[in-house]
Amino acid sequence: MTARALASILGLLVASHASGASIPLHVDRVTRDAPVTFGVPFPKGALHSPDHVRVLDERGIEVPSQITEVTSWAPADPSIQWIWVDFLTEGSSRYVLEYGASIRRRTAIQTPLRIVNSQRPAGGIDVDTGVLRFHVSRSEGGFIESADLVGANGALRALKAPAGRGSFLDLLDDAGVDPSRAVVTFTTIEKGSGPLHAILRIEGEYRYARADNRPAPFVTRIHVWAGKPWIKVLHTFLYTGIADKRRPQAGQHAHIATQGSPLLVEDPSDKGFTEPNDRIEGAGITLTLAENLQTVRTGTASGSWFQPGDESRVEVSLGAQPVSLLQTGPKPNRMPPVPESSGSTRIGGFVATLSEGARIIESKERAAGWFSVEGAHIGVAAAFKDILQEYPKAFTVTPADQTLVASIWPNSVEPMSFARYSLKPETEEGIETMENGATGLAKTTEMSFSVHAAGESAVAVRAARTLVDPPVISASPRWY
């Protein structure tokens, strides 16, 4: 398409917006009740308010939606440049985005989200989706402090306080394991939040008992939807440990912009570079259920890790021992030399193990990525995004303390070390130097949880899996 033709089309679209125009939306797969969020740009002058946008399904029926203005063409023009669109799929193979001065959304969201964010010292965030109520406290905890499942017969307590371990980042050095305490210091509601879909940002830090371990910041983004017992989590932590045992340099922590001070050059012969100091012993998210746990369900895939076959589902009746699903692979700590596939041979070493205490129940190459636990009245389903690619990952249920732990770094594998593999120096501007820039690295992990009543595990598992693998909806490439 020529630039003149494209300009002509855009001109027609701008001219037609007064009476309403439409943008066909592409769906990569047909789903029902799956949350989608996507962005749509508009030419200058085509859209002046997010209220003038709505979504229709393939029958022309309006779908409840949430529209957020992201950016405008200001200062050149006050019209809107980009919007975010949120809605829940309804089984259609096609959708249409209508916009224009005459367009109004007519279909209301039946149970809009209710969120209260208190910045008082003992405050936090209270969320009510209509079927799930929970609280995140600005204090020790780090994640959901309590949660109720709301049904026709009233509220049922589903989750209780995790005693300062709602999320955790435990460190290991020569003095042993230093368990973290998660402390939430700030909560807010992010842009893109509305009556259908909201994003909560929880900021805090992991604090340690030993003075040599510095606090580590974390940010947890919690996504919730109106009328749904779903929680999608994007958890980011910052590694602030001392990676290795190299000899400290005089002035290495002084201000950078000091005059007359020589640049520090590390000693390439210092073997401390290859000796680990602060390692990650374990990291993850903890949910503490409010009743005794009875049943665990999960799935693994048959076949090889790169050609997974049919999924087999396993159900375990809980006794006294913890039940865990661990997905690992070759060289979990990624210390070189890391195995790689060649043109003729694929790497091996991927293992998904379901175990009860020391007893192995099942072992395959690939986990399905989901895990559910249930008691007499309530249950929780959980899922990791890309559990194989993001190995090592684990789900663990401990009946004694009624916890479900989604491990970002399981403590059942070798601790994560940030020491250098060798003393081979780098060359920068003709100078041989030895560096280790691990301090300050950040890691984000995506996972989901679906709280449910007993007997509804299958629906909750489907929801948890969809949250981390939603359908992709977009306008035609020409529109962008």
Side-chain angles (χ1 to χ4, degrees):
M1 179 179 290
T2 66
R4 179 177 296 177
L6 181 59
S8 176
I9 290 175
L10 293 179
L12 289 172
L13 290 172
V14 172
S16 66
H17 84 276
S19 58
S22 62
I23 306 170
L25 300 176
H26 172 73
V27 185
D28 73 335
R29 66 183 187 273
V30 176
T31 56
R32 184 175 295 276
D33 213 27
V36 292
T37 301
F38 58 97
V40 179
F42 288 87
K44 192 182 301 181
L47 181 65
H48 291 271
S49 170
D51 295 334
H52 298 170
V53 181
R54 66 176 182 171
V55 177
L56 306 179
D57 66 13
E58 59 189 357
R59 298 169 298 169
I61 298 174
E62 184 178 349
V63 178
S65 61
Q66 173 182 306
I67 310 298
T68 303
E69 178 182 343
V70 182
T71 58
S72 73
W73 286 96
D77 190 89
S79 59
I80 293 174
Q81 185 180 43
W82 276 91
I83 62 170
W84 287 332
V85 181
D86 285 276
F87 67 91
L88 300 178
T89 60
E90 297 190 341
S92 291
S93 59
R94 299 186 307 275
Y95 295 90
V96 172
L97 193 75
E98 278 195 339
Y99 71 95
S102 65
I103 302 300
R104 295 290 188 279
R105 289 191 295 281
R106 307 294 183 188
T107 304
I109 296 165
Q110 294 184 352
T111 54
L113 291 167
R114 291 186 293 175
I115 301 173
V116 177
N117 180 35
S118 171
Q119 291 300 315
R120 294 177 180 273
I125 289 185
D126 289 286
V127 177
D128 185 351
T129 73
V131 294
L132 181 68
R133 300 176 191 151
F134 66 86
H135 176 71
V136 178
S137 176
R138 289 183 64 237
S139 61
E140 285 198 21
F143 196 50
I144 293 175
E145 198 72 11
S146 61
D148 293 334
L149 192 63
V150 183
N153 298 321
L156 179 66
R157 179 53 52 95
L159 304 174
K160 59 183 182 180
R165 299 276 290 175
S167 67
F168 59 93
L169 177 65
D170 299 339
L171 298 181
L172 172 68
D173 59 19
D174 291 345
V177 177
D178 196 353
S180 63
R181 292 183 302 110
V183 179
V184 174
T185 57
F186 179 75
T187 57
T188 191
I189 304 170
E190 290 203 330
K191 185 172 185 175
S193 299
L196 177 65
H197 169 219
I199 310 159
L200 320 174
R201 189 170 84 242
I202 315 299
E203 298 183 9
E205 60 184 21
Y206 297 113
R207 297 174 183 173
Y208 300 93
R210 296 201 294 269
D212 62 314
N213 289 324
R214 297 171 288 200
F218 68 84
V219 176
T220 304
R221 287 178 170 85
I222 301 176
H223 294 247
V224 292
W225 288 265
K228 303 299 179 183
W230 306 336
I231 300 168
K232 185 168 82 170
V233 176
L234 284 85
H235 178 70
T236 303
F237 68 81
L238 196 71
Y239 173 76
T240 58
I242 299 173
D244 53 43
K245 297 180 180 178
R246 66 179 182 266
R247 294 185 297 273
Q249 297 280 327
Q252 68 178 28
H253 296 303
H255 294 296
I256 295 174
T258 52
Q259 295 182 355
S261 297
L263 293 175
L264 295 176
V265 178
E266 302 283 3
D267 180 4
S269 66
D270 187 348
K271 293 183 179 180
F273 275 104
T274 62
E275 299 173 1
N277 190 2
D278 292 330
R279 290 164 285 172
I280 295 178
E281 167 72 7
I285 297 283
T286 302
L287 295 179
T288 303
L289 281 77
E291 66 177 12
N292 292 328
L293 308 177
Q294 299 177 346
T295 307
V296 162
R297 299 179 182 89
T298 190
T300 56
S302 61
S304 61
W305 67 267
F306 56 91
Q307 284 185 326
D310 295 335
E311 181 179 314
S312 62
R313 301 200 170 196
V314 184
E315 181 173 310
V316 181
S317 296
L318 285 168
Q321 295 295 318
V323 173
S324 178
L325 175 68
L326 170 66
Q327 175 72 65
T328 188
K331 297 294 282 285
N333 64 3
R334 313 300 201 271
M335 187 66 74
V338 178
E340 294 183 359
S341 296
S342 67
S344 58
T345 306
R346 294 186 185 271
I347 60 173
F350 292 92
V351 181
T353 305
L354 178 64
S355 59
E356 182 178 26
R359 179 176 73 93
I360 296 178
I361 299 172
E362 186 172 271
S363 183
K364 300 282 185 65
E365 288 195 16
R366 184 173 187 144
W370 62 271
F371 195 88
S372 77
V373 59
E374 193 170 311
H377 302 96
I378 53 95
V380 176
F384 273 116
K385 184 177 180 64
D386 299 331
I387 191 171
L388 180 81
Q389 296 89 333
E390 292 281 319
Y391 76 88
K393 294 287 180 284
F395 294 109
T396 303
V397 168
T398 304
D401 55 18
Q402 302 169 203
T403 57
L404 166 62
V405 177
S407 293
I408 296 168
W409 188 273
N411 60 12
S412 56
V413 302
E414 179 184 357
M416 180 62 194
S417 170
F418 296 95
R420 289 178 60 99
Y421 169 68
S422 73
L423 291 177
K424 183 179 179 180
E426 294 87 17
T427 300
E428 293 185 6
E429 298 181 358
I431 301 175
E432 282 196 347
T433 181
M434 187 71 64
E435 297 178 356
N436 185 341
T439 301
L441 289 177
K443 170 63 180 172
T444 298
T445 303
E446 186 172 336
M447 65 195 85
S448 64
F449 303 95
S450 180
V451 184
H452 63 89
E456 298 177 358
S457 173
V459 174
V461 167
R462 188 161 53 248
R465 299 180 77 173
T466 300
L467 288 175
V468 295
D469 186 24
V472 177
I473 297 184
S474 62
S476 165
R478 286 186 175 183
W479 182 259
Y480 293 92

